[in-house]
Amino acid sequence: MHVRVSPGSVALDEPDDCSSFKVLLSEEARKDLPGLLASASAGKLDHDDVMVSVDWIKGECAGRIGMGWNYRFANMLVYAAGKGWLSQDGTHVRAHVEAL
């Protein structure tokens, strides 16, 4: 799964894929990234990474995921926590940013 950020848009693509997680950012949206994330309630910028809201991910996945997604997503969060990529309160997961 990945978060796609382009001018005026923050969207979750490939929600059923819990084996990969990143933010794909268009060059045109780079300067507006903090505002776009905030306006979508998707997360917040943290240095060069984005802390993506777990609740936002779940909301974006509603009606778009297959059987077993909850288990796979929970495992993704456990893996992220083990790597230090989950916020201490478990509400946000870190994603690196790549050019779109």
Side-chain angles (χ1 to χ4, degrees):
M1 98 180 51
H2 58 268
V3 179
R4 183 178 30 82
V5 182
S6 54
S9 173
V10 179
L12 187 70
D13 292 338
E14 301 178 24
D16 214 30
D17 179 6
C18 294
S19 65
S20 170
F21 189 64
K22 60 191 166 194
V23 171
L24 296 177
L25 176 63
S26 74
E27 188 58 39
E28 300 83 10
R30 185 168 296 278
K31 67 178 172 29
D32 298 326
L33 179 58
L36 289 167
L37 294 169
S39 67
S41 299
K44 55 193 170 191
L45 194 59
D46 183 35
H47 302 288
D48 292 333
D49 295 331
V50 172
M51 296 301 290
V52 180
S53 166
V54 171
D55 285 342
W56 180 81
I57 294 169
K58 289 178 180 178
E60 290 294 303
C61 287
R64 302 173 55 201
I65 50 177
M67 294 289 293
W69 182 86
N70 287 328
Y71 177 77
R72 292 191 313 277
F73 185 63
N75 282 339
M76 181 182 120
L77 295 179
V78 167
Y79 180 80
K83 296 290 188 179
W85 301 334
L86 194 64
S87 63
Q88 287 186 352
D89 62 4
T91 62
H92 291 77
V93 62
R94 183 173 302 280
H96 68 279
V97 178
E98 295 181 6
L100 180 63

